[in-house]
């Protein structure tokens, strides 16, 4: 009888330890600078000195989007299409922000990506003012900011 109780107790402790490990292994929300939790943000110029547009999901066409936040700064109300100089990722689901030159879901012309909790303040000049769409992707092998 004692052996059965001890085995049950050990099994119960193992289940509790495994559950605790799963809870501890969960990744916290990652906050990029000047971008609200759960969003992927683009900026007309720098992250702290220009207008912003926030995305919560994939957007296949920036032509109908404007820098509609922080509009008193440079770029306020300008079109996002081909006007992105900086980006920040505050994903709560661990999604990378992948930016493309192509419009639509063909995902042509990969430019750059930003990891959750990361940002790029002023992209290299060869990447500035070229983004036309955003695709949210789970963790990939692509090197991101």
């Amino acid at each position: 009888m004692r052996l059965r109780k001890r085995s049950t107790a050990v099994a119960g402790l193992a289940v509790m330890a495994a559950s605790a490990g799963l809870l501890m292994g969960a990744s916290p929300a990652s906050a990029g600078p000047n971008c609200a939790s759960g969003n992927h943000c683009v900026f007309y110029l720098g992250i702290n000195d220009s207008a912003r547009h926030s995305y919560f999901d994939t957007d296949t066409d920036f032509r109908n989007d404007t820098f509609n936040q922080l509009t008193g700064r440079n770029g306020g109300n300008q079109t996002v299409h081909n006007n992105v100089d900086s980006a920040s990722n505050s994903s709560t689901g661990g999604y990378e922000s992948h930016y493309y030159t192509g419009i639509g879901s063909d995902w042509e012309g990969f430019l750059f990506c930003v990891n959750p909790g990361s940002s790029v303040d002023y992209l290299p000049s060869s990447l500035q003012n070229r983004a036309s769409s955003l695709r949210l992707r789970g963790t990939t092998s692509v090197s991101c900011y």
Side-chain angles (χ1 to χ4, degrees):
M1 185 70 119
R2 271 196 160 148
L3 185 55
R4 177 174 276 165
K5 284 184 180 178
R6 185 175 291 155
S7 295
T8 303
V10 169
L13 287 173
V15 169
M16 286 173 42
S19 296
L22 289 174
L23 291 175
M24 290 174 63
S27 61
S30 298
N34 202 5
C35 188
S37 178
N39 287 280
H40 305 259
C41 300
V42 292
F43 300 86
Y44 184 77
L45 293 173
I47 288 174
N48 292 310
D49 61 2
S50 67
R52 171 183 68 211
H53 185 87
S54 300
Y55 294 95
F56 187 75
D57 205 350
T58 292
D59 190 318
T60 60
D61 189 349
F62 287 174
R63 291 179 295 185
N64 59 349
D65 302 332
T66 61
F67 291 99
N68 59 356
Q69 299 165 328
L70 307 172
T71 57
R73 297 178 178 183
N74 287 323
N77 297 313
Q78 296 293 317
T79 302
V80 173
H81 176 73
N82 291 340
N83 279 318
V84 173
D85 276 9
S86 302
S88 184
N89 181 342
S90 290
S91 173
T92 54
Y95 291 101
E96 296 174 356
S97 311
H98 287 240
Y99 295 90
Y100 298 83
T101 59
I103 293 174
S105 58
D106 56 5
W107 306 117
E108 289 183 27
F110 172 77
L111 287 171
F112 66 96
C113 55
V114 182
N115 284 321
S118 296
S119 64
V120 55
D121 196 17
Y122 288 101
L123 289 155
S125 60
S126 63
L127 300 176
Q128 289 179 4
N129 303 317
R130 296 186 60 206
S132 297
S133 55
L134 164 67
R135 182 178 183 189
L136 303 187
R137 300 187 68 188
T139 303
T140 66
S141 61
V142 176
S143 179
C144 298
Y145 288 99

